[in-house]
Amino acid sequence: MRAGSVLGLLVVIWLAIGVLAAAQRGYFSSAPENCAEAGTVAAAIAAGPLNYTGVNPKIKCELPQPSP
């Protein structure tokens, strides 16, 4: 097996564990209502197995509002 294949497999496993952690936290029970919720879901997925070591990423963001 080539190093690229192993690395790719590890990335897929890492992200799958992140999806599992996000599902266990109930992040997929409803659609995100704002960018902070969507960012938190994405951060939890990217954190992967770190979610099980106490990491609980939260994202805060504000989108610019159109001028009146």
Side-chain angles (χ1 to χ4, degrees):
M1 206 180 234
R2 294 182 320 177
S5 298
V6 172
L7 182 61
L9 180 62
L10 288 175
V11 168
V12 168
I13 291 170
W14 181 278
L15 294 175
I17 293 170
V19 168
L20 178 64
Q24 288 176 337
R25 289 185 177 152
Y27 290 163
F28 300 124
S29 60
S30 63
E33 295 181 11
N34 54 43
C35 69
E37 289 178 11
T40 298
V41 172
I45 292 171
L50 297 177
N51 287 291
Y52 295 104
T53 64
V55 174
N56 188 10
K58 299 282 185 187
I59 304 296
K60 296 179 184 176
C61 63
E62 293 183 24
L63 293 175
Q65 298 297 319
S67 6

